[in-house]
Amino acid sequence: LQITVLGTPAEEDGGGKIDLIEAGAFDDLDVVFMAHPSQENAAYLPDVAEHDVTVKYYGKASHAAAYPWEGLNALDAAVLAYNNLSVLRQQMKPTWRVHGIIKNGGVKPNIIPSYTEMEFYLRAPSVKDLSLLTEKVENCFKAAAVATGCKVEIKGSEHDYYNVLPNKSLEKVYKENGKKLGIEFISDDLILNGLSGSTDFGNVTYVVPGLHPYFYIGSDALNHTEQYTEAAGSQKAQFYALRTAKALAMTALDVIFKPDLLEEVRQDFRQMKLREEEQLN
């Protein structure tokens, strides 16, 4: 019997857990737990697959007033790409997400920009859908290059994040333990009709059964805002974080001392992986 507390950095950028998977850090583990703060309590939320992409346009500088016709405007390419994606949204599935920024838009107004850079995140509920979305988005980037005469460089992230595979057996036991501690969970309808973010924990759930609950921290502020940062660091939030940790610990004890439960967890894991593989094929 061994319980491992494993630090997993770079969740938000880079996919540290994927590096750990490749290094064999999860090879000998039976189950893996982690939790994420949110606005509600849920044993599972549909975290989606994600592909990050950096796009660079290379044009030609020229005097914007005297000789504009001699330039190739890389900013125009970036603007067209952004607008191409806005038009694409009409034909995107409701569960697809594309969002990004222009990181470099030129140097001075009187110089035709010779270089621009954009960064986008693409998200979809499954790896298969993410592949379809990526192809459509990359065509938007390429079309902008053709229209402006610029060259385009499209570079995807080293690690794609997979969707989190649910495990009904782990979720059931976690909810039972959480309710004993006073945790009130949202309904299954809200879970099925909702979307969450993306996490490299999704990749972990493809190699070992995993549980990734979300927990309320005593604030209605939304994640990734200044208000949520303040709420997460408050004394009030510590109670909710510790309560969630206790529920996870109780669930771990159930897995350890109930061999039948571990076999149910493994069976759920095999079924979910098979379903995902069938979709890809």
Side-chain angles (χ1 to χ4, degrees), residues 44 46 125-126 128 163-166 168 192 206 267-281:
Y44 165 80
S126 67
K128 181 178 180 180
N163 50 300
V164 172
L165 297 182
K168 296 297 183 184
L192 290 175
Y206 274 72
Q267 181 62 26
D268 286 349
F269 171 69
R270 288 191 289 266
Q271 290 177 351
M272 289 305 304
K273 275 203 67 174
L274 180 61
R275 191 190 75 173
E276 292 296 315
E277 289 169 357
E278 289 175 346
Q279 288 183 353
L280 286 173
N281 295 330

Side-chain angles (χ1 to χ4, degrees), residues 9-271:
E11 176 184 11
E12 295 289 350
D13 187 13
K17 294 184 188 64
I18 304 170
D19 289 326
L20 288 168
I21 290 171
E22 295 174 353
F26 298 96
D27 288 353
D28 299 322
L29 302 183
D30 293 301
V31 293
V32 179
F33 298 164
M34 70 168 282
H36 195 291
S38 184
Q39 292 78 46
E40 63 276 304
N41 293 298
Y44 165 80
L45 286 178
D47 285 291
V48 297
E50 179 185 347
H51 174 72
D52 300 349
V53 59
T54 298
V55 183
K56 299 178 180 180
Y57 288 107
Y58 299 92
K60 180 183 176 184
S62 183
H63 196 293
Y67 315 108
W69 54 86
E70 294 291 339
L72 296 174
N73 197 317
L75 180 58
D76 283 352
V79 171
L80 284 176
Y82 199 99
N83 288 331
N84 286 345
L85 292 172
S86 295
V87 174
L88 175 65
R89 295 182 197 281
Q90 298 177 90
Q91 273 67 55
M92 281 170 46
K93 293 182 179 181
T95 52
W96 291 1
R97 296 289 186 271
V98 176
H99 36 267
I101 58 171
I102 299 176
K103 295 179 67 175
N104 187 320
V107 179
K108 296 284 287 185
N110 64 336
I111 303 173
I112 299 292
S114 61
Y115 174 78
T116 54
E117 182 177 338
M118 311 174 76
E119 186 174 351
F120 275 83
Y121 292 174
L122 321 180
R123 306 182 198 247
S126 67
V127 175
K128 181 178 180 180
D129 262 17
L130 184 61
S131 177
L132 295 173
L133 175 60
T134 298
E135 181 180 1
K136 292 177 181 293
V137 168
E138 287 187 352
N139 284 337
C140 289
F141 295 142
K142 294 173 183 176
V146 172
T148 57
C150 294
K151 294 180 181 179
V152 62
E153 178 184 311
I154 303 171
K155 184 178 181 180
S157 55
E158 289 187 22
H159 297 315
D160 285 350
Y161 288 11
Y162 294 174
N163 50 300
V164 172
L165 297 182
N167 191 290
K168 296 297 183 184
S169 296
L170 285 176
E171 292 163 21
K172 179 175 180 291
V173 175
Y174 173 76
K175 288 178 71 173
E176 290 172 353
N177 288 321
K179 289 176 181 177
K180 294 175 184 176
L181 298 172
I183 298 177
E184 297 180 2
F185 293 94
I186 60 174
S187 68
D188 291 340
D189 287 342
L190 289 175
I191 293 173
L192 290 175
N193 294 324
L195 281 173
S196 188
S198 304
T199 170
D200 53 0
F201 189 84
N203 301 65
V204 176
T205 64
Y206 274 72
V207 297
V208 62
L211 178 66
H212 186 269
Y214 282 80
F215 64 96
Y216 175 70
I217 64 169
S219 171
D220 294 328
L222 300 177
N223 291 56
H224 293 200
T225 64
E226 293 179 1
Q227 293 79 11
Y228 201 83
T229 300
E230 182 178 351
S234 70
Q235 187 61 39
K236 182 180 180 181
Q238 306 313 304
F239 164 78
Y240 297 102
L242 288 172
R243 184 173 66 171
T244 299
K246 289 179 182 178
L248 286 175
M250 292 165 67
T251 304
L253 290 172
D254 285 329
V255 173
I256 291 169
F257 292 110
K258 298 178 181 178
D260 291 343
L261 172 58
L262 181 55
E263 184 51 42
E264 291 174 9
V265 168
R266 288 170 172 164
Q267 181 62 26
D268 286 349
F269 171 69
R270 288 191 289 266
Q271 290 177 351

